Structures are given as C-alpha cells and as structure tokens.
Amino acid sequence: MWYGGDYNPEQWNPETIDEDIRLMKQMHVNCATVGVFAWPKLEPEDGVFQFEWMDQVLDRLYQEHIDVILATPTTAMPYWLEHKYPDIMHVDIEGRRVQGGSREKICPNSRVYRKYSARIAGELAKRYGHHPAVKLWHINNEYHFYCYCPACAEEFRNWLQKKYKDIDAVNTAWNTAFWGHTYTSFSQILPPSYLTDIKRNQLAGRDVACFQGQYIDYMRFMSSSVRSCIENEKREIRKYSSLPVTNNFSDLVKTYDYWEISKAIDVISWDNYPTFHTPMYKPAFIHDLMRSMKSQPFLMMEQNPGNISWEDYGPVKRPGEVADICWQSTAHGADSNLFFQWRQSRGGVEKFHGAMIPHSGRLDTRMGNELIQLGEQFERLGSTVEGAMPDARAAILFDWENWWALEGSAIHNCHLKYYDQILKYYRAFYEMGIPVDVVCESTCMDKQYDLIAAPCFYMCSHEFSEKVKDYVNAGGTFLTTFLSGITDRTDNVILGGYPGAFRDVLGLWVEEIDGMYPDMRNSIVLKDGSQYDCGEVCDLIRLETAKAIGLYGKDFYRNTPCVTVNTYGDGHAYYIGTSPEHGFIKKLLSDICRDLQLTQYDLPENVEIAFRIKNGKNYTFLMNHNNESVNINLDHSYHDIISGARMYGLISMQPRQCMILENLIPAD
Ligand code: GLA
Ligand code: ZN
C-alpha cells in the first residue's frame, strides 16, 4: 500500500530534500511520484539532457526506502520546444491555434510532439529503467489534449478511411443526405468544430452535432489519438524497462473514452478531488469503474489534504475527512493513497492548493497530525487488503459513446445528463451496500451477473442486444430506462418502434417520448397506491408481453404504463420509462435485489459499507461519512483492523470513522 504523493524537488532548492525526507519519514511516506513537470529541467535545450539532479533524487529516495513512480514530463512542454514548433500546439474548437504556456495545450497528432515525447520517455527509461527505487511508469498526466488542427484533420481522414474503406459507407453511417451534405471524397471531411458541424447550445451548456455519427467518430478518434500518445511513449520505455505503466485519469471527464485509453496502460490510476458538496456515492462510482476496467485493484494517484484551488471556494477538509476519502478509495479497491502534492507550491496557479507539507513547513498541526496518523494506519495495515476484490453480483453499464451520443443529439430533453442518470441508479445500489461492477458492452458478459442495469443505454449494437436476449433468456435480470436502445452504434435510429434494440426482451414499444420542461412533472402510481414523482422524460408505452408495475398519475396519459417487467425465457427485463425520484429507484432496485437474494443493508444516512475479499477472507469496510457520530448495530462480533478493537452490538462510530471488520468472531 503506497502512501505519499507527487514530489517535485526540481521546484525547490536542492537542500530542501533533507527536510523533505525527515518529514516523509515522520509521515510514514513510502512512495513519491517524481518528474511530472520536469521537462525543462531534464532537457533544458533540444537534445541536451541533464539527469544528475534526478540521479541524486532517486538515489536518495532509494536509500530512504521510498519507492518511486517515475513520470514522463510530457504534459507540459518546455518553451524552447513550443517556440521552435508552433504547430505542436493545439487548435481549439473555435479554430484558434493556442500559443503555449500553461500545460496540456498539445496537439495529440503532432509528429513533432510524438517524436520529442518519445525521446524524453526513452532517455528516462534508458537511465532509470533499472533503478532500484523505480517501480512504475507514470506516462504524461491527466490527458486534456483536444485538437482541430490540419494535422488532426488529416489523421482523422486516415482513421475514417481505415474504418469505412469507401466514402459511401461514411455517408450512410453519418446519414449525410440529411441537409444535403453527401461527401464525394474523404478529402472533404473536416473535424466537427464550431466552424463546421457543431452548434453550441448555450442554455443547456452543451455542444450539439449536426451529424452525430461524425461527432462520435471524432470523439472516438481523439480517444484513440490519446491512446496512441501513450503507446508512443510506452514503446520507447519498453526498449529499456518492463515495469508497468499507468496514466492518471482526471476524475471522470466526458471528453475521452477511458475504456479505450485503458487498453494502453497496465495499471489503472485516477485523481480524486471531491469538493465540499460532492456526495460520497460519486467518488464511489468512479472507484468502482476504475476497479472494473481491468478487474483488478487500481491506484489512487492524487488526492488533496487541504483546500482545492480550482473551485471558487476552497473549504479546508473537515476533521477526519482526508482519512475518510482515503479509506473509501481503499474500500473500493485502491491499493495506494497518494496526494497532490507533497510540498505546497510557493507560487503559480496552485499555490493555495493544499499539500501534505503546507507553507508553514510544519507537521505539528491539525492536518499534519491527521496525515501522520493515517500514514501509521496504512503502515500497520501493510498488505492485508492489497489485491483484494469485491464479489459484485450486479453491474451497471457506463459508456462514453452513449454519453457523447445522448448529449450530442438534439434530444427530447437537452438538459438531461447521461452521467447523472447513471449516478441515480448507482446511488441506490450504494445506499443498499450492494457491490457493483461498472461495465461496457465488451466487458458486460465476462462474468455471470445476477443483475445488469443499463440506464439511458441509448446507442446499442445489434450484437449486444442479442447478448442481452441470451442473458435474460438464460435467467438474468436486465433493467433499462427511457432513451435506451434507440439507435445503433452510428446513432441512426433503429426503426419499427422504440426501443428497437430491446423491444423483444422488454416486451413493449414506445409510441411517443414526452420531453418535459422542468415545471412539467408527472408521477408513478404503484398498485398499493403509493406515488413517486417523476419527470424530464416520459415514455408513452404500448405493452406487448410486458406487465405494468407502475402507471402514470397525471396528464393525458394518466393510467398508462410507465414502469414494466417482462418475463423472457428464464429471466426478467425491467423498463423504467421516466426519470423517477430517488425513492422510487431505491424501492424498485431493493425489490429486485431481494428477489435475487442479494444481501442489502439498512444503514444510517451517509454510512457506507463496502467489501474486499482475499484468500477466502472478507474485509468489510464500514464508513461513517458524517461529521457527527452515528450508532450502528452489529449483528456479530468483529475485529476492527484499523483500531485493533473488538466490535459487537450497538457501537458508536466517530465522525468520519472507518472500520475494517475482519473475521467473524462468534458472539459471547
Ligand atoms: C490535477 C493534476 C495536478 C494538479 C491537481 C490540482 O489532478 O494532475 O497536476 O494540478 O489537479 O488539483
Ligand atoms: Zn491537432
């Protein structure tokens, strides 16, 4: 279990390292990420490398038994490189070539960038590939490369040519006959930007594509461009080193398909910055996604022990909050807890962004003590839960292509957010303590899940809809919602009644889709008379073999079905034709999970339970995310690994306390 953070000694006097080491030892730090922004210091002039300072840093860390995650510095380019090759900078969606400075302003398809980034990665690997401190390569940092330049346009055309072979296939996929935009040659194709085929919907704050197929292909192409940037550096690294490679994902961003990018890396890692108002189920969802991507534990590469400086307001972390965030990531499968950054910067845009060592340089502080205690706890935990995984019986489909397609279309409700819809369903599982994997079309059937939820699974391939049929037929439970199965993977509608892809398995069809203004609400009425609020989108449903579970309570379609279930072969398929309030989703999922005999927990608000299993041992993480204490009734006697205490019966959990309950001990 690594504990530590981004270490940037090149931003400080060389003597600072002595004090750094002293403090790292005090804090039980055993890992440092080095070199993320060090390109100008490593290569001050074109082809002139300067490694002595890095030798000293790595040697020193090694002597002190601190492992190193060595970064390639390719996220921020030196000025000499930017000035020599202005085309290396990206062109934004408004068609402006940016001028360097800041960071991440790179064209991912620039041949010059590819050449220089591979060279510095290779030089680092040549020198440090066998350095005993180095344990992992950290390629680049949080990709934010997006570009609409002529080089990207040309590569896009090549990518399309490979994918579609001839131009007619492109026209069919993009349905270009609409508005008379049939292409007669690949050379006519440009990236979809504000100058070409993208319109900005200011009100909804999103970009809408004139031709969704083109837009989605461009997004796919950009993701694969980033993937090849990683592969480009990795190829050079592999000449000298066989150590695993990671790239730290930046939270969860819409712009890149993480499923695609993850193919280029060996270990998944991500940066978690929950802010004051972030509900804890949100990072939990991303953790589960990260763990599911390679069905293995992931690394928590960056977290923050203080103020966050990229928000307008930067509250300090409340007592116990940092540990709470770290234990939550551990509970969901993280095998490290690292921070950005070790020492708080003196200047620059992030000078007030919290760090492990604050500007005072002291550790005899509230946060200093918390970090020391946390370091001790991780040290004592050792490798106990390292490598452990949960046994999730339920899965949620999460798919970037659907995110792009749904929000890139002028759809029935342009304010509908794909990610929010996914989180609504995830939250219900989370609150019930039911472990879930997060899957995509290609990983969904890898495991025999009892339940697969596919909220707003708008685009669906024919192959996948066939797999869903087989899955349900064989006894699986499938749940989907409005705006699912509407289009194929080119985002052209599947004709013959929505939702074309899932019509058979759901046993219904949707005649009309009511896209509702915020002040238009409806309700779901259940057989027992209970009612739940719903809105955003309401499907007008025609039943075939499905049965209604809930009916609409209002409007001209009052008393028509809005929630249904269909028995299909040995399984069941549920359809929720509207966006319900949280209480309804929780009730429905709870009923379904009860039928499936998935254990659910009734916990106080903001108390979370999560599991990791290893060598037949189950480690139950019980987390109080509240700033107040709560009482919990434990049904059995447990040993809490963190406090070392034995827990039984009615216990009081301190604010932000986490317990790892191990080994059921028979009660007295
Ligand atoms: C990101 C970056 C870091 C730093 C932090 C600050 O995660 O990777 O370099 O900018 O944000 O929040
Ligand atoms: Zn470009």
Side-chain angles (χ1 to χ4, degrees):
M1 283 280 183
W2 277 331
Y3 185 68
D6 275 52
Y7 182 42
N8 303 310
E10 75 280 5
Q11 298 173 17
W12 297 89
N13 295 330
E15 307 77 61
T16 320
I17 195 165
D18 294 326
E19 178 64 356
D20 286 332
I21 298 286
R22 188 180 74 78
L23 296 172
M24 283 180 188
K25 288 286 150 191
Q26 216 179 319
M27 232 190 251
H28 306 269
V29 161
N30 61 11
C31 180
T33 305
V34 182
V36 178
F37 300 107
W39 199 341
K41 183 92 180 191
L42 290 166
E43 190 181 358
E45 285 171 56
D46 194 344
V48 178
F49 298 98
Q50 184 179 274
F51 287 121
E52 294 68 26
W53 69 274
M54 181 67 100
D55 295 347
Q56 281 170 21
V57 171
L58 298 193
D59 291 351
R60 186 66 196 280
L61 290 170
Y62 179 64
Q63 278 163 20
E64 304 291 343
H65 307 287
I66 295 171
D67 288 341
V68 169
I69 299 175
L70 190 55
T72 66
T74 51
T75 191
M77 295 185 293
Y79 277 120
W80 60 255
L81 183 55
E82 293 175 349
H83 280 248
K84 200 161 177 178
Y85 304 101
D87 287 1
I88 207 168
M89 311 306 298
H90 78 221
V91 167
D92 70 13
I93 194 165
E94 295 182 41
R96 300 171 302 191
R97 172 85 68 185
V98 298
Q99 290 188 322
S102 185
R103 60 177 177 179
E104 301 148 356
K105 290 182 160 176
I106 299 162
C107 164
N109 288 300
S110 153
R111 297 220 171 102
V112 176
Y113 176 69
R114 294 284 180 98
K115 180 180 136 198
Y116 279 87
S117 55
R119 186 170 77 181
I120 185 73
E123 289 293 330
L124 281 166
K126 201 189 295 173
R127 193 153 182 119
Y128 303 115
H130 295 281
H131 192 287
V134 178
K135 299 288 192 268
L136 175 72
W137 291 102
H138 177 300
I139 292 188
N140 205 284
N141 185 69
E142 293 194 343
Y143 279 93
H144 288 284
F145 299 5
Y146 241 76
C147 189
Y148 301 82
C149 80
C152 285
E154 192 188 319
E155 277 310 309
F156 182 45
R157 291 187 283 267
N158 294 338
W159 186 90
L160 291 169
Q161 211 141 12
K162 230 186 253 163
K163 176 170 176 175
Y164 293 102
K165 313 283 186 290
D166 68 88
I167 197 69
D168 289 342
V170 176
N171 286 315
T172 308
W174 297 357
N175 202 40
T176 53
F178 181 76
W179 281 356
H181 277 303
T182 307
Y183 293 100
T184 50
S185 143
F186 277 94
S187 63
Q188 295 156 354
I189 298 176
L190 290 170
S193 72
Y194 293 166
L195 305 182
T196 60
D197 288 304
I198 299 288
K199 291 205 245 181
R200 183 81 186 155
N201 178 338
Q202 293 294 359
L203 216 58
R206 67 172 57 162
D207 292 337
V208 175
C210 292
F211 297 92
Q212 290 76 44
Q214 176 199 23
Y215 168 65
I216 295 162
D217 270 341
Y218 200 69
M219 303 296 273
R220 287 175 178 134
F221 163 68
M222 272 291 140
S223 294
S224 84
S225 301
V226 165
R227 176 181 166 183
S228 42
C229 282
I230 299 177
E231 285 166 347
N232 175 55
E233 291 190 34
K234 190 174 175 180
R235 208 173 303 121
E236 285 304 303
I237 290 174
R238 281 285 169 267
K239 291 183 183 162
Y240 311 100
S241 162
S242 57
L243 289 174
V245 157
T246 193
N247 163 260
N248 50 334
F249 286 122
S250 165
D251 196 79
L252 192 60
V253 294
K254 179 177 165 185
T255 30
Y256 302 113
D257 180 351
Y258 289 12
W259 294 109
E260 167 72 10
I261 292 178
S262 69
K263 290 176 191 150
I265 58 188
D266 307 311
V267 180
I268 303 285
S269 65
W270 81 286
D271 302 341
N272 180 25
Y273 291 100
T275 58
F276 193 70
H277 296 291
T278 307
M280 291 300 274
Y281 61 81
K282 206 168 169 178
F285 171 76
I286 309 178
H287 292 315
D288 286 348
L289 167 68
M290 298 295 154
R291 187 197 64 241
S292 303
M293 281 193 155
K294 287 194 184 285
S295 286
Q296 68 186 32
F298 57 94
L299 298 177
M300 212 50 257
M301 190 61 79
E302 292 183 22
Q303 303 172 101
N304 181 284
N307 317 85
I308 282 176
S309 69
W310 39 257
E311 288 262 303
D312 290 358
Y313 305 95
V316 293
K317 295 283 187 298
R318 274 35 213 170
E321 188 178 349
V322 173
D324 187 21
I325 290 168
C326 291
W327 286 120
Q328 190 195 37
S329 47
T330 312
H332 285 266
D335 274 356
S336 74
N337 274 286
L338 304 167
F339 295 89
F340 184 89
Q341 56 182 331
W342 166 250
R343 194 177 268 285
Q344 190 169 19
S345 305
R346 279 197 69 201
V349 63
E350 290 182 343
K351 66 178 178 289
F352 294 121
H353 191 80
M356 296 177 91
I357 301 302
H359 289 144
S360 69
R362 300 175 63 134
L363 280 190
D364 58 342
T365 56
R366 180 179 72 89
M367 193 48 68
N369 286 325
E370 287 194 18
L371 291 172
I372 292 171
Q373 192 191 24
L374 189 59
E376 257 166 26
Q377 288 172 337
F378 279 119
E379 198 169 87
R380 252 187 291 122
L381 183 66
S383 58
T384 311
V385 298
E386 204 175 18
M389 292 283 283
D391 178 26
R393 307 299 319 145
I396 275 202
L397 273 152
F398 184 74
D399 176 357
W400 271 262
E401 296 194 356
N402 266 307
W403 197 349
W404 304 331
L406 200 94
E407 296 187 8
S409 294
I411 214 154
H412 311 76
N413 182 339
C414 284
H415 291 260
L416 193 85
K417 295 204 165 74
Y418 174 70
Y419 183 20
D420 288 354
Q421 292 298 322
I422 300 293
L423 284 176
K424 279 177 87 160
Y425 284 82
Y426 178 80
R427 179 183 169 192
F429 286 115
Y430 167 93
E431 288 179 356
M432 294 187 289
I434 294 178
V436 290
D437 285 345
V438 183
V439 295
C440 63
E441 274 197 2
S442 66
T443 63
C444 187
M445 301 296 171
D446 287 354
K447 196 172 146 186
Q448 267 294 324
Y449 292 107
D450 293 329
L451 170 62
I452 297 172
C456 292
F457 202 68
Y458 165 76
M459 281 198 307
C460 181
S461 71
H462 178 66
E463 298 72 49
F464 188 67
S465 59
E466 291 298 308
K467 281 187 192 165
V468 169
K469 277 191 209 167
D470 294 344
Y471 163 78
V472 179
N473 195 32
T477 300
F478 181 69
L479 176 147
T480 189
T481 71
F482 65 93
L483 290 177
S484 293
I486 303 275
T487 64
D488 62 19
R489 286 272 160 184
T490 60
D491 199 16
N492 286 306
V493 171
I494 303 169
L495 302 176
Y498 312 128
F502 300 131
R503 217 186 125 165
D504 291 347
V505 79
L506 292 170
L508 53 77
W509 70 283
V510 172
E511 187 174 329
E512 288 179 280
I513 299 171
D514 204 11
M516 298 160 76
Y517 283 95
D519 61 348
M520 289 168 75
R521 303 296 299 176
N522 208 313
S523 61
I524 303 171
V525 184
L526 301 185
K527 290 215 171 70
D528 63 6
S530 56
Q531 295 213 15
Y532 296 87
D533 179 66
C534 68
E536 294 184 278
V537 167
C538 289
D539 280 349
L540 278 61
I541 297 173
R542 299 271 296 268
L543 298 181
E544 288 176 324
T545 52
K547 291 195 174 59
I549 300 177
L551 305 176
Y552 286 112
K554 296 179 195 158
D555 218 323
F556 73 95
Y557 43 93
R558 184 168 172 261
N559 281 336
T560 69
C562 64
V563 182
T564 69
V565 59
N566 190 39
T567 304
Y568 187 86
D570 292 335
H572 296 95
Y574 289 84
Y575 189 68
I576 299 114
T578 182
S579 175
E581 63 171 284
H582 173 60
F584 178 78
I585 297 178
K586 199 164 164 188
K587 184 204 155 23
L588 180 71
L589 285 181
S590 170
D591 290 348
I592 296 173
C593 291
R594 194 169 309 115
D595 288 348
L596 295 172
Q597 293 176 338
L598 302 179
T599 311
Q600 42 189 297
Y601 299 85
D602 192 12
L603 293 165
E605 203 177 329
N606 241 340
V607 173
E608 182 188 349
I609 192 165
F611 309 91
R612 291 182 76 169
I613 302 166
K614 183 173 152 183
N615 303 331
K617 267 194 190 167
N618 193 344
Y619 299 94
T620 303
F621 289 72
L622 200 58
M623 293 158 273
N624 174 17
H625 299 311
N626 294 291
N627 290 321
E628 299 80 38
S629 50
V630 290
N631 291 330
I632 306 264
N633 212 344
L634 293 178
D635 51 347
H636 295 285
S637 184
Y638 298 90
H639 168 236
D640 169 20
I641 305 184
I642 299 179
S643 67
R646 187 160 182 260
M647 300 286 168
Y648 180 67
L650 188 68
I651 56 159
S652 167
M653 289 191 82
Q654 296 310 300
R656 301 281 186 170
Q657 187 184 353
C658 172
M659 297 175 182
I660 306 180
L661 304 177
E662 185 204 17
N663 273 1
L664 211 62
I665 308 167
D668 308 312

